[in-house]
């Protein structure tokens, strides 16, 4: 039986990429496309909701789907650990599943995981992320997720060193990691994680040059996974074995 997908934000850049991938995905069909102004009652009857809307309405989409007993794949940026905590009790009470994907790119997932694995060995960590000038939120969801992973990996060592963090030019701290956001034309998405220690530094850089090609493999993994998921799951790394052992 074909699973019916309600795609919210399906007319946006990411939404169109997701729509195209689902069209080629066996066992799934986009049965309705919603915009930010659509009535969320249109979600009723779907087997899976895919949210590629905006940070402002994403939480309403998730709540509306969960209340209807529908699983959700969240591709919208702006979901920090604190914000996810707001919907976790609703998901657990409903017995549904909500999967948050900060970035569908396999390279991005690997870059963040490698940075987190290396973080305990360096006392300093900073993130510089760049997106096109039309991106409405900052820092990016990918940068927030990377900083959260670094903080978790350094649980025993404690926060990274971030001197003069009270100055605005030092960036926004997430899990003690300063994040610096660039919004400019001529770039799609780029992230640098710079780890520094005595006498040396290590930099992980991921650059997205073609979103449709970069995101498609991750979307193909995430859609069937989200349909069958239970509880709250964050990150594409739960769907692949990235080969990093603690």
């Amino acid at each position: 039986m074909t699973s019916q997908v309600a795609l919210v934000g399906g007319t946006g850049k990411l939404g169109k990429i997701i729509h195209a991938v689902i069209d080629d995905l066996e066992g799934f069909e986009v049965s309705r496309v919603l915009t930010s102004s659509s009535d969320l009652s249109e979600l009723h009857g779907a087997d899976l909701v895919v949210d590629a809307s905006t940070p402002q309405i994403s939480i309403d989409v998730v709540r509306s789907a969960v209340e209807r007993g529908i699983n959700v794949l969240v591709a919208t940026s702006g979901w920090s650990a604190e914000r996810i905590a707001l919907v976790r009790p609703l998901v657990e009470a409903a017995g549904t599943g909500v999967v948050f994907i900060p970035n569908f790119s396999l390279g991005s997932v690997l870059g963040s995981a490698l940075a987190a694995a290396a973080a305990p060995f360096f006392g300093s960590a900073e993130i510089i992320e760049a997106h096109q000038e039309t991106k409405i939120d900052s820092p990016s969801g990918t940068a927030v997720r990377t900083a959260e992973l670094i903080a978790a990996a350094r649980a025993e060592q404690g926060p990274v060193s971030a001197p003069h963090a009270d100055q605005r030019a030092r960036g926004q701290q997430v899990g003690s990691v300063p994040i610096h956001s660039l919004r400019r034309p001529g770039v799609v998405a780029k992230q640098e994680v710079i780890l520094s220690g005595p006498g040396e530094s290590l930099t992980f850089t991921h650059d997205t040059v073609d979103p449709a090609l970069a995101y498609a493999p991750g979307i193909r993994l995430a859609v069937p996974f989200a349909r069958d998921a239970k509880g709250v799951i964050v990150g594409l790394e739960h769907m692949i074995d990235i080969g990093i052992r603690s």
Side-chain angles (χ1 to χ4, degrees), residues 7-8 14-15 18 49-53 58 72-79 99-104 135 219:
L7 178 56
V8 186
L14 178 57
I18 293 173
V49 171
V50 178
D51 173 37
S53 59
S58 183
V72 191
L73 172 60
V74 180
T76 303
S77 190
W79 282 91
V99 178
F100 295 90
I101 304 296
N103 197 311
F104 284 108
K135 185 172 177 60
I219 295 169

Side-chain angles (χ1 to χ4, degrees), residues 81-171:
E82 290 79 9
R83 198 179 193 206
I84 291 172
L86 297 176
V87 299
R88 191 180 296 272
L90 301 177
V91 176
E92 293 174 352
T96 56
V98 179
V99 178
F100 295 90
I101 304 296
N103 197 311
F104 284 108
S105 163
L106 300 180
S108 175
V109 172
L110 286 167
S112 296
L114 289 168
F121 301 94
F122 295 86
S124 171
E126 306 216 13
I127 298 172
I128 304 171
E129 57 95 353
H131 284 79
Q132 64 270 34
E133 74 278 17
T134 56
K135 185 172 177 60
I136 60 177
D137 63 305
S138 61
S140 70
T142 302
V144 169
R145 176 62 175 165
T146 304
E148 291 173 345
L149 290 172
I150 288 172
R154 289 185 53 85
E156 293 185 5
Q157 291 80 14
V160 300
S161 174
H164 313 297
D166 58 311
Q167 299 176 14
R168 293 183 63 185
R170 290 290 293 118

